[in-house]
Amino acid sequence: MKRIVFITLGLLIYGSVFCQLSDSVNGISMEEVYYENGCKKFSIGQYPQALYWFEKGIEQGPMYEENYYGASKVYFLSTEMVWAVMYGELFMILSQSDSLQAEISQELFEAYFDAFTLNKTNAVAKFDSDIIIYSDSFERRNKFPQVFDNLMSESAKGIRFIDISTLITIRQKFLSLLKSKHSDFHNTLFAYWDKIISIGHWQAYNYWLFAYGNRSESATWARENRQKWNDFLSWKDKNSIQLSDTEKFSRYLME
């Protein structure tokens, strides 16, 4: 799939004048309006403009899952895969749509699978180009994508292949390294990971998250660990991530 590089499109995203919208349009919430605007731009290939609307929708309504879906779809077409996997995972946690979850689950697994180059002595993760576009500036460096790549690379040392079982190990090591080396990069998604690990559902969560990327592996694990699988699904239904104006994920907070 051809990927677009968002390193020269800042003015296209934010230089345009967008219409001023009231708090609601015919009873539709603002986050729904933003999602619809983003979809219209996405449908005609105007991906940076679509991203503007999806992220405005996330800012307006942090619990409205469709805007995470839209933002992840833009980033899955880009070289900034770090934001694709984070927006995509947040959508998975919030969504109740089986078909869209299946789609994003597969995209997430493929993004992780493609990001790693492994050999006997080294592991290299590449989830991102090193530049990100901001709403209030020209191109400028963002530290988090490089930190993400470095820690994912370190976490994958000794791994010989990528499947769900190895991603479970890599992602848990990544979180541990992030907390010890870069605690300033705390965000609500990683806090949710921490909660899942402490409860004892980390394996089941990852098999659920990546299930459609490796169906046979996930199905085998769920069949052989039926009680753990059912316990996790029951827990997940009652313990979704809680996002608000003061507790939310934003790539703009990750510099």
Side-chain angles (χ1 to χ4, degrees):
M1 180 182 295
K2 183 179 180 181
R3 301 196 183 279
I4 50 179
V5 183
F6 297 139
I7 59 176
T8 60
L9 299 176
L11 293 179
L12 287 178
I13 303 177
Y14 301 109
S16 303
V17 178
F18 294 99
C19 59
Q20 298 298 311
L21 299 172
S22 61
D23 288 341
S24 65
V25 178
N26 297 326
I28 300 175
S29 67
M30 283 303 299
E31 53 265 34
E32 291 175 293
V33 172
Y34 290 142
Y35 178 68
E36 290 298 322
N37 287 344
C39 287
K40 290 174 184 177
K41 295 298 183 181
F42 189 92
S43 69
I44 57 175
Q46 295 183 356
Y47 302 122
Q49 295 91 331
L51 181 63
Y52 169 86
W53 288 113
F54 294 139
E55 292 194 316
K56 287 290 288 184
I58 290 169
E59 180 182 349
Q60 175 74 26
M63 290 294 289
Y64 186 73
E65 67 268 23
E66 278 86 348
N67 284 305
Y68 296 95
Y69 171 79
S72 73
K73 292 298 289 183
V74 172
Y75 277 116
F76 278 125
L77 291 172
S78 81
T79 55
E80 296 179 15
M81 204 55 56
V82 60
W83 308 119
V85 297
M86 296 185 81
Y87 279 129
E89 188 163 347
L90 284 163
F91 170 75
M92 289 287 293
I93 295 166
L94 292 168
S95 177
Q96 299 297 315
S97 170
D98 291 341
S99 61
L100 294 184
Q101 281 187 332
E103 175 188 341
I104 297 301
S105 173
Q106 183 171 352
E107 296 237 41
L108 283 170
F109 182 80
E110 290 175 355
Y112 273 93
F113 187 89
D114 291 342
F116 287 98
T117 301
L118 307 174
N119 57 50
K120 292 182 179 180
T121 59
N122 196 23
V124 177
K126 189 63 177 173
F127 285 82
D128 209 78
S129 60
D130 299 323
I131 303 288
I132 187 164
I133 297 300
Y134 280 73
S135 60
D136 57 353
S137 73
F138 293 102
E139 300 167 15
R140 68 179 180 185
R141 291 285 175 179
N142 181 298
K143 296 178 182 178
F144 180 71
Q146 189 60 56
V147 167
F148 190 90
D149 279 350
N150 289 345
L151 296 187
M152 281 291 177
S153 297
E154 187 173 349
S155 300
K157 286 181 179 178
I159 298 295
R160 296 290 179 263
F161 57 90
I162 296 297
D163 61 6
I164 300 176
S165 68
T166 56
L167 285 177
I168 289 169
T169 300
I170 292 168
R171 280 159 45 94
Q172 186 166 354
K173 285 184 179 179
F174 166 86
L175 182 62
S176 179
L177 290 170
L178 186 72
K179 288 164 62 178
S180 64
K181 295 184 176 184
H182 299 280
S183 58
D184 51 323
F185 284 129
H186 166 84
N187 68 55
T188 53
L189 178 59
F190 296 148
Y192 192 65
W193 286 15
D194 223 3
K195 182 178 181 180
I196 294 170
I197 290 168
S198 69
I199 294 296
H201 290 316
W202 184 241
Q203 271 191 310
Y205 170 70
N206 282 270
Y207 278 109
W208 166 80
L209 183 69
F210 298 115
Y212 286 89
N214 193 331
R215 298 186 186 213
S216 61
E217 183 187 357
S218 181
T220 298
W221 188 91
R223 184 173 62 253
E224 294 176 353
N225 299 271
R226 190 172 302 278
Q227 190 62 54
K228 289 182 179 180
W229 180 254
N230 290 336
D231 288 347
F232 164 70
L233 294 179
S234 177
W235 178 87
K236 181 179 72 70
D237 287 343
K238 300 172 184 176
N239 293 274
S240 182
I241 193 169
Q242 295 302 306
L243 302 167
S244 66
D245 289 339
T246 56
E247 281 292 323
K248 60 186 175 184
F249 174 81
S250 171
R251 64 190 173 98
Y252 303 125
L253 301 175
M254 299 297 291
E255 60 177 13

